[in-house]
Amino acid sequence: MENTFVMAECVQTFSLRHRMGKAVVALAAISMATAPMAPVAWADEGGTSFWLPGQFGSFAALPSAPGWSLPMMYYHASANQSANKTTQRGGRITAGLDAKVDMLFLLPTYVFEKPFLGGQASLGVGGALMSMDAGIDATLTGPRGGTLSGSESDSVTAGSDLYTQGIVKWNKGVHNYMAYTMLGTPIGAYKEERLINPGTNHWSLDGGGGYTYFDKKNEFSAVLGFTYNFENDDTDYQNGVDAHLDWGASRFISESTHVGLVGYFYQQVSGDSGSGARLGDYKSSVTAIGPQIGHFFAVDKAKWYVNLKGYYEFDAENRPEGWNLWVSLLIPLGSQ
């Protein structure tokens, strides 16, 4: 995400058959991994990043049932940055940001039955409809060097970029492993003069791997990834490489309900560059933690899954911080 809140969590599926010895556990769960899935994270240019921290969570590396599924996610974020912290957005140097984002993300996903590299492969392509509002209490420098003080606001409702995600998963008893890659295609709404944008206006490539421990009752998952951002040609700005670690831990309190914690660490490991990067490296970082609850329920003969999780952000550097809420729903569409 960048010049906007790129957030979109690429939801992934688990309506899975997970084998443990001779036991087969029927489980369905969503690991939001948007293609920034998505739009909104806050870092890099405009204080935002391609990757939306928290996209992956519990059960991230568990195998899934072959066939089609429709992961859906609603995301709400509220964040701010103090007036003594400057950010470059819309071709200007601004301060005192207050922003809110609402997003509905869809990621139709197909899980292949035939093994790939000894594991299970899936492919998903999706995007989001986003409503974004932002305000600033100071604009320090105009696009051509002029100065301006006071307040300004902006709002937009439009579509995000297109996100394509490929995943391969391997299972060895209670241990599960995964590798993923995600491509951001810049087709979302974007205008350089806006304070916020649903589109990033540049290509992005993200990849990484993860692990899930699952013993039928307890689970722990962690996914580490890195984002490479191509240059925004309209602003001559290229975000640096971003590192992100999403994690989740939970325990089943009944056959169909689990509760636990989620969190993420986000760190920009190389600086921003290009003639448009007037604030220099502008490396960003943030940490977050919060609660989660998930529940499986039957619809006809299919098992659906819903998950609610929230994050409180702290220790932010060069980006807004606040809180965000995720409501995820996995709808199985049938086997191949």
Side-chain angles (χ1 to χ4, degrees), residues 31 51 56-57 60-61 178 180 208-212 221-225 244-247:
S31 159
W51 181 264
F56 282 113
M178 58 93 79
Y180 79 92
Y211 168 80
T212 292
S221 299
V223 180
L224 175 66
H244 47 84
L245 175 67
D246 297 341
W247 62 270

PDB file of all heavy atoms in Angstrom, residues 31 51 56-57 60-61 178 180 208-212 221-225 244-247:
ATOM      1  N   SER A  31      -7.110 -17.091   6.404  1.00  0.00           N
ATOM      2  CA  SER A  31      -5.901 -16.416   6.773  1.00  0.00           C
ATOM      3  C   SER A  31      -5.833 -15.208   5.875  1.00  0.00           C
ATOM      4  O   SER A  31      -5.544 -15.333   4.731  1.00  0.00           O
ATOM      5  CB  SER A  31      -4.718 -17.309   6.520  1.00  0.00           C
ATOM      6  OG  SER A  31      -3.587 -16.576   6.405  1.00  0.00           O
ATOM      7  N   TRP A  51       1.848  -3.930   1.560  1.00  0.00           N
ATOM      8  CA  TRP A  51       1.407  -5.021   2.419  1.00  0.00           C
ATOM      9  C   TRP A  51       0.563  -4.496   3.570  1.00  0.00           C
ATOM     10  O   TRP A  51       0.923  -3.515   4.223  1.00  0.00           O
ATOM     11  CB  TRP A  51       2.606  -5.775   2.991  1.00  0.00           C
ATOM     12  CG  TRP A  51       2.195  -6.926   3.862  1.00  0.00           C
ATOM     13  CD1 TRP A  51       2.083  -6.939   5.223  1.00  0.00           C
ATOM     14  CD2 TRP A  51       1.823  -8.230   3.422  1.00  0.00           C
ATOM     15  NE1 TRP A  51       1.667  -8.166   5.660  1.00  0.00           N
ATOM     16  CE2 TRP A  51       1.494  -8.984   4.561  1.00  0.00           C
ATOM     17  CE3 TRP A  51       1.728  -8.837   2.168  1.00  0.00           C
ATOM     18  CZ2 TRP A  51       1.089 -10.312   4.490  1.00  0.00           C
ATOM     19  CZ3 TRP A  51       1.326 -10.154   2.096  1.00  0.00           C
ATOM     20  CH2 TRP A  51       1.021 -10.879   3.248  1.00  0.00           C
ATOM     21  N   PHE A  56      -2.071 -12.309   7.159  1.00  0.00           N
ATOM     22  CA  PHE A  56      -2.003 -13.709   7.556  1.00  0.00           C
ATOM     23  C   PHE A  56      -2.230 -13.809   9.064  1.00  0.00           C
ATOM     24  O   PHE A  56      -1.876 -12.903   9.816  1.00  0.00           O
ATOM     25  CB  PHE A  56      -0.640 -14.311   7.217  1.00  0.00           C
ATOM     26  CG  PHE A  56      -0.480 -14.669   5.769  1.00  0.00           C
ATOM     27  CD1 PHE A  56       0.421 -13.995   4.975  1.00  0.00           C
ATOM     28  CD2 PHE A  56      -1.226 -15.692   5.191  1.00  0.00           C
ATOM     29  CE1 PHE A  56       0.595 -14.322   3.636  1.00  0.00           C
ATOM     30  CE2 PHE A  56      -1.078 -16.023   3.865  1.00  0.00           C
ATOM     31  CZ  PHE A  56      -0.160 -15.347   3.076  1.00  0.00           C
ATOM     32  N   GLY A  57      -2.802 -14.935   9.499  1.00  0.00           N
ATOM     33  CA  GLY A  57      -3.052 -15.117  10.923  1.00  0.00           C
ATOM     34  C   GLY A  57      -3.073 -16.582  11.266  1.00  0.00           C
ATOM     35  O   GLY A  57      -2.297 -17.380  10.725  1.00  0.00           O
ATOM     36  N   ALA A  60      -2.475 -20.295   9.066  1.00  0.00           N
ATOM     37  CA  ALA A  60      -1.979 -19.807   7.777  1.00  0.00           C
ATOM     38  C   ALA A  60      -1.390 -20.898   6.894  1.00  0.00           C
ATOM     39  O   ALA A  60      -1.539 -20.865   5.672  1.00  0.00           O
ATOM     40  CB  ALA A  60      -0.943 -18.714   8.007  1.00  0.00           C
ATOM     41  N   ALA A  61      -0.694 -21.895   7.483  1.00  0.00           N
ATOM     42  CA  ALA A  61      -0.006 -22.905   6.677  1.00  0.00           C
ATOM     43  C   ALA A  61      -0.769 -24.217   6.579  1.00  0.00           C
ATOM     44  O   ALA A  61      -0.266 -25.183   5.986  1.00  0.00           O
ATOM     45  CB  ALA A  61       1.395 -23.164   7.246  1.00  0.00           C
ATOM     46  N   MET A 178       4.461 -23.355   4.618  1.00  0.00           N
ATOM     47  CA  MET A 178       3.917 -22.729   3.414  1.00  0.00           C
ATOM     48  C   MET A 178       4.894 -21.716   2.831  1.00  0.00           C
ATOM     49  O   MET A 178       5.728 -21.148   3.546  1.00  0.00           O
ATOM     50  CB  MET A 178       2.579 -22.046   3.711  1.00  0.00           C
ATOM     51  CG  MET A 178       2.615 -20.982   4.786  1.00  0.00           C
ATOM     52  SD  MET A 178       2.867 -19.304   4.146  1.00  0.00           S
ATOM     53  CE  MET A 178       1.229 -18.922   3.584  1.00  0.00           C
ATOM     54  N   TYR A 180       4.658 -18.448  -0.187  1.00  0.00           N
ATOM     55  CA  TYR A 180       3.678 -17.691  -0.952  1.00  0.00           C
ATOM     56  C   TYR A 180       4.361 -16.578  -1.745  1.00  0.00           C
ATOM     57  O   TYR A 180       5.488 -16.157  -1.448  1.00  0.00           O
ATOM     58  CB  TYR A 180       2.622 -17.063  -0.026  1.00  0.00           C
ATOM     59  CG  TYR A 180       3.106 -15.801   0.655  1.00  0.00           C
ATOM     60  CD1 TYR A 180       2.881 -14.546   0.085  1.00  0.00           C
ATOM     61  CD2 TYR A 180       3.827 -15.858   1.847  1.00  0.00           C
ATOM     62  CE1 TYR A 180       3.365 -13.385   0.689  1.00  0.00           C
ATOM     63  CE2 TYR A 180       4.306 -14.710   2.454  1.00  0.00           C
ATOM     64  CZ  TYR A 180       4.068 -13.478   1.869  1.00  0.00           C
ATOM     65  OH  TYR A 180       4.549 -12.327   2.459  1.00  0.00           O
ATOM     66  N   GLY A 208       7.260 -14.807   0.730  1.00  0.00           N
ATOM     67  CA  GLY A 208       7.769 -15.245   2.015  1.00  0.00           C
ATOM     68  C   GLY A 208       7.326 -16.652   2.344  1.00  0.00           C
ATOM     69  O   GLY A 208       6.899 -17.423   1.477  1.00  0.00           O
ATOM     70  N   GLY A 209       7.408 -17.001   3.617  1.00  0.00           N
ATOM     71  CA  GLY A 209       7.047 -18.342   4.060  1.00  0.00           C
ATOM     72  C   GLY A 209       6.502 -18.315   5.475  1.00  0.00           C
ATOM     73  O   GLY A 209       6.646 -17.323   6.196  1.00  0.00           O
ATOM     74  N   GLY A 210       5.868 -19.435   5.868  1.00  0.00           N
ATOM     75  CA  GLY A 210       5.277 -19.478   7.198  1.00  0.00           C
ATOM     76  C   GLY A 210       5.178 -20.881   7.762  1.00  0.00           C
ATOM     77  O   GLY A 210       5.479 -21.877   7.083  1.00  0.00           O
ATOM     78  N   TYR A 211       4.741 -20.949   8.997  1.00  0.00           N
ATOM     79  CA  TYR A 211       4.655 -22.210   9.745  1.00  0.00           C
ATOM     80  C   TYR A 211       3.404 -22.201  10.616  1.00  0.00           C
ATOM     81  O   TYR A 211       3.027 -21.155  11.177  1.00  0.00           O
ATOM     82  CB  TYR A 211       5.892 -22.380  10.624  1.00  0.00           C
ATOM     83  CG  TYR A 211       5.771 -23.504  11.643  1.00  0.00           C
ATOM     84  CD1 TYR A 211       5.973 -24.823  11.266  1.00  0.00           C
ATOM     85  CD2 TYR A 211       5.457 -23.232  12.983  1.00  0.00           C
ATOM     86  CE1 TYR A 211       5.854 -25.863  12.201  1.00  0.00           C
ATOM     87  CE2 TYR A 211       5.345 -24.251  13.913  1.00  0.00           C
ATOM     88  CZ  TYR A 211       5.541 -25.572  13.521  1.00  0.00           C
ATOM     89  OH  TYR A 211       5.423 -26.582  14.429  1.00  0.00           O
ATOM     90  N   THR A 212       2.756 -23.358  10.720  1.00  0.00           N
ATOM     91  CA  THR A 212       1.625 -23.530  11.635  1.00  0.00           C
ATOM     92  C   THR A 212       1.794 -24.824  12.419  1.00  0.00           C
ATOM     93  O   THR A 212       2.029 -25.892  11.830  1.00  0.00           O
ATOM     94  CB  THR A 212       0.286 -23.579  10.879  1.00  0.00           C
ATOM     95  OG1 THR A 212       0.003 -22.308  10.306  1.00  0.00           O
ATOM     96  CG2 THR A 212      -0.864 -23.941  11.826  1.00  0.00           C
ATOM     97  N   SER A 221       0.683 -19.900  14.550  1.00  0.00           N
ATOM     98  CA  SER A 221       1.105 -19.629  13.175  1.00  0.00           C
ATOM     99  C   SER A 221       1.940 -18.365  13.114  1.00  0.00           C
ATOM    100  O   SER A 221       1.700 -17.410  13.859  1.00  0.00           O
ATOM    101  CB  SER A 221      -0.115 -19.458  12.255  1.00  0.00           C
ATOM    102  OG  SER A 221      -0.906 -20.626  12.232  1.00  0.00           O
ATOM    103  N   ALA A 222       2.919 -18.367  12.200  1.00  0.00           N
ATOM    104  CA  ALA A 222       3.738 -17.175  11.956  1.00  0.00           C
ATOM    105  C   ALA A 222       4.137 -17.163  10.488  1.00  0.00           C
ATOM    106  O   ALA A 222       4.505 -18.200   9.931  1.00  0.00           O
ATOM    107  CB  ALA A 222       4.976 -17.167  12.841  1.00  0.00           C
ATOM    108  N   VAL A 223       4.037 -15.989   9.847  1.00  0.00           N
ATOM    109  CA  VAL A 223       4.393 -15.843   8.425  1.00  0.00           C
ATOM    110  C   VAL A 223       5.293 -14.622   8.265  1.00  0.00           C
ATOM    111  O   VAL A 223       4.937 -13.516   8.672  1.00  0.00           O
ATOM    112  CB  VAL A 223       3.143 -15.677   7.542  1.00  0.00           C
ATOM    113  CG1 VAL A 223       3.562 -15.530   6.077  1.00  0.00           C
ATOM    114  CG2 VAL A 223       2.204 -16.866   7.697  1.00  0.00           C
ATOM    115  N   LEU A 224       6.466 -14.839   7.666  1.00  0.00           N
ATOM    116  CA  LEU A 224       7.426 -13.772   7.425  1.00  0.00           C
ATOM    117  C   LEU A 224       7.483 -13.490   5.930  1.00  0.00           C
ATOM    118  O   LEU A 224       7.576 -14.415   5.112  1.00  0.00           O
ATOM    119  CB  LEU A 224       8.811 -14.179   7.925  1.00  0.00           C
ATOM    120  CG  LEU A 224       9.966 -13.202   7.633  1.00  0.00           C
ATOM    121  CD1 LEU A 224       9.776 -11.889   8.380  1.00  0.00           C
ATOM    122  CD2 LEU A 224      11.308 -13.851   7.997  1.00  0.00           C
ATOM    123  N   GLY A 225       7.438 -12.211   5.550  1.00  0.00           N
ATOM    124  CA  GLY A 225       7.493 -11.863   4.136  1.00  0.00           C
ATOM    125  C   GLY A 225       8.233 -10.566   3.888  1.00  0.00           C
ATOM    126  O   GLY A 225       8.494  -9.777   4.812  1.00  0.00           O
ATOM    127  N   HIS A 244       7.781  -7.941   7.058  1.00  0.00           N
ATOM    128  CA  HIS A 244       6.601  -8.025   7.918  1.00  0.00           C
ATOM    129  C   HIS A 244       6.457  -9.437   8.477  1.00  0.00           C
ATOM    130  O   HIS A 244       6.707 -10.425   7.787  1.00  0.00           O
ATOM    131  CB  HIS A 244       5.339  -7.622   7.143  1.00  0.00           C
ATOM    132  CG  HIS A 244       5.221  -8.269   5.794  1.00  0.00           C
ATOM    133  ND1 HIS A 244       4.702  -9.534   5.597  1.00  0.00           N
ATOM    134  CD2 HIS A 244       5.574  -7.825   4.559  1.00  0.00           C
ATOM    135  CE1 HIS A 244       4.725  -9.843   4.320  1.00  0.00           C
ATOM    136  NE2 HIS A 244       5.263  -8.824   3.658  1.00  0.00           N
ATOM    137  N   LEU A 245       6.067  -9.528   9.734  1.00  0.00           N
ATOM    138  CA  LEU A 245       5.829 -10.807  10.409  1.00  0.00           C
ATOM    139  C   LEU A 245       4.433 -10.774  11.009  1.00  0.00           C
ATOM    140  O   LEU A 245       4.145  -9.967  11.894  1.00  0.00           O
ATOM    141  CB  LEU A 245       6.874 -11.046  11.500  1.00  0.00           C
ATOM    142  CG  LEU A 245       6.649 -12.299  12.357  1.00  0.00           C
ATOM    143  CD1 LEU A 245       6.838 -13.564  11.506  1.00  0.00           C
ATOM    144  CD2 LEU A 245       7.613 -12.318  13.558  1.00  0.00           C
ATOM    145  N   ASP A 246       3.538 -11.631  10.508  1.00  0.00           N
ATOM    146  CA  ASP A 246       2.189 -11.774  11.054  1.00  0.00           C
ATOM    147  C   ASP A 246       2.126 -13.060  11.878  1.00  0.00           C
ATOM    148  O   ASP A 246       2.683 -14.086  11.467  1.00  0.00           O
ATOM    149  CB  ASP A 246       1.148 -11.864   9.931  1.00  0.00           C
ATOM    150  CG  ASP A 246       1.088 -10.608   9.084  1.00  0.00           C
ATOM    151  OD1 ASP A 246       1.571  -9.557   9.551  1.00  0.00           O
ATOM    152  OD2 ASP A 246       0.566 -10.682   7.958  1.00  0.00           O
ATOM    153  N   TRP A 247       1.437 -13.042  13.011  1.00  0.00           N
ATOM    154  CA  TRP A 247       1.340 -14.246  13.832  1.00  0.00           C
ATOM    155  C   TRP A 247      -0.037 -14.357  14.483  1.00  0.00           C
ATOM    156  O   TRP A 247      -0.757 -13.362  14.627  1.00  0.00           O
ATOM    157  CB  TRP A 247       2.436 -14.284  14.907  1.00  0.00           C
ATOM    158  CG  TRP A 247       2.375 -13.158  15.915  1.00  0.00           C
ATOM    159  CD1 TRP A 247       2.986 -11.951  15.835  1.00  0.00           C
ATOM    160  CD2 TRP A 247       1.625 -13.154  17.138  1.00  0.00           C
ATOM    161  NE1 TRP A 247       2.679 -11.186  16.935  1.00  0.00           N
ATOM    162  CE2 TRP A 247       1.850 -11.896  17.762  1.00  0.00           C
ATOM    163  CE3 TRP A 247       0.811 -14.089  17.775  1.00  0.00           C
ATOM    164  CZ2 TRP A 247       1.277 -11.557  18.978  1.00  0.00           C
ATOM    165  CZ3 TRP A 247       0.230 -13.748  18.995  1.00  0.00           C
ATOM    166  CH2 TRP A 247       0.470 -12.496  19.588  1.00  0.00           C
TER     167      TRP A 247
END
